[in-house]
């Protein structure tokens, strides 16, 4: 899953309005930010296989540290704890924990049975929705559109950055998704890893435009700080 993970981050702004979208986006994409690092250092492995369906061209040979369910719960707890330590915002920390775990659940929906439960386990799971390319695309686009609607209902731009940089973010993700769903196969595993590392840039990108937006609805917990809500 790709833009569906970003949808979770955008939508969680509604439930944790005082958290920065940078943190709320980082949570559901965290596993795919760690994965290229583990690929490059050789702890996890992926192979490219020819397939007429571009969604099925990656063979996830082994990735228990980034995508094993037990490790994922650990990453979620670590990230949520760090966030709470810095931000002291419990609702934000809970949304971050849910966001990280949601990645595994959404991947479970789309991946073929290649997701491990824990390192060393021979049992691999996945419902394989990727076998039905158009069903997957429709589900992800609907999730993404719904999340954009929620985010726009929750926040409004304070200036041009808050509007243009947000829409550039949306456009970039749609283009990247179209490339993954319809484009040519990746040239090499290294190219996959380097490409995935660029995902890290999406976190400050989201933080940036979110700083230039403010809450439309007054947060009942802190009515006097309404104008600073978007910054979180
Ligand atoms: Zn993933």
């Amino acid at each position: 899953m790709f833009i569906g993970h970003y949808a979770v981050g955008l939508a969680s702004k509604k439930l944790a309005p005082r958290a920065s979208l940078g943190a709320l986006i980082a949570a559901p994409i965290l596993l795919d930010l760690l994965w290229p690092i583990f690929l490059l250092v050789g702890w996890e492995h992926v192979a490219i296989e020819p397939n007429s369906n571009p969604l099925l061209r990656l063979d996830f040979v082994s990735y228990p540290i980034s995508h094993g369910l037990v490790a994922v719960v650990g990453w979620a707890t670590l990230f949520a704890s760090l966030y709470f330590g810095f931000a002291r915002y419990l609702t934000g920390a809970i949304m971050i924990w849910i966001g990280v775990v949601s990645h595994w659940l959404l991947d479970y929906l789309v991946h073929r049975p290649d997701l491990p439960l824990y390192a060393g386990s021979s049992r691999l799971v996945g419902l394989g929705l990727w076998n039905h390319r158009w069903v997957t695309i429709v589900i992800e686009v609907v999730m993404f559109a719904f999340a954009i609607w929620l985010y726009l209902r929750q926040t409004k731009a304070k200036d041009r950055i808050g509007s243009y940089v947000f829409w550039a973010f949306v456009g970039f993700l749609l283009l990247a998704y179209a490339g993954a769903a319809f484009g040519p196969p990746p040239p090499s595993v290294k190219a996959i890893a380097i490409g995935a590392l660029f995902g890290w840039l999406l976190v400050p990108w989201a933080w940036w435009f979110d700083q230039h937006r403010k809450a439309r609805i007054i947060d009942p917990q802190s009515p006097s700080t309404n104008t600073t809500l978007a910054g979180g």
Side-chain angles (χ1 to χ4, degrees):
M1 182 153 288
F2 183 28
I3 51 173
H5 296 309
Y6 289 86
V8 172
L10 284 166
S12 51
K13 183 77 177 180
K14 172 151 183 65
L15 296 166
R18 284 191 285 129
S20 165
L21 189 69
L24 294 175
I25 288 273
I29 64 169
L30 179 70
L31 309 182
D32 286 353
L33 298 179
L34 297 170
W35 176 63
I37 298 171
F38 298 145
L39 284 179
L40 289 172
V41 298
W43 294 350
E44 299 195 333
H45 303 280
V46 70
I48 301 163
E49 61 179 39
N51 195 305
S52 59
N53 176 351
L55 298 176
L56 298 177
R57 282 182 185 145
L58 296 187
D59 176 10
F60 297 91
V61 179
S62 166
Y63 56 164
I65 314 167
S66 65
H67 281 73
L69 180 58
V70 171
V72 168
V73 171
W75 291 119
T77 307
L78 178 67
F79 188 14
S81 308
L82 284 173
Y83 177 83
F84 186 73
F86 283 103
R88 298 273 149 198
Y89 178 35
L90 183 61
T91 311
I94 292 169
M95 279 319 298
I96 281 170
W97 192 90
I98 292 171
V100 177
V101 174
S102 79
H103 183 109
W104 193 91
L105 295 173
L106 290 174
D107 274 4
Y108 170 69
L109 177 70
V110 297
H111 279 234
R112 290 172 290 185
D114 58 32
L115 286 159
L117 298 176
Y118 52 88
S121 162
S122 57
R123 181 144 178 251
L124 301 171
V125 298
L127 297 178
L129 194 65
W130 270 341
N131 287 308
H132 311 281
R133 177 162 61 144
W134 280 104
V135 178
T136 312
I137 291 170
V138 167
I139 288 175
E140 288 206 62
V141 168
V142 168
M143 281 176 74
F144 194 55
F146 180 64
I148 288 169
W149 177 77
L150 274 181
Y151 181 70
L152 290 177
R153 242 179 115 237
Q154 184 65 30
T155 67
K156 66 176 176 210
K158 291 193 276 191
D159 53 28
R160 284 182 185 180
I161 292 175
S163 174
Y164 295 167
V165 177
F166 166 69
W167 285 109
F169 180 85
V170 169
F172 175 83
L173 284 175
L174 287 173
L175 278 177
Y177 186 51
F182 301 104
S188 68
V189 168
K190 196 160 190 179
I192 297 169
I194 305 274
L197 280 178
F198 276 97
W200 284 89
L201 293 176
L202 276 297
V203 175
W205 190 346
W207 169 83
W208 184 30
F209 68 72
D210 194 55
Q211 288 282 92
H212 291 264
R213 301 182 66 86
K214 62 182 176 185
R216 285 187 196 271
I217 307 152
I218 294 169
D219 183 352
Q221 286 169 359
S222 55
S224 62
T225 58
N226 185 29
T227 50
T228 61
L229 288 182

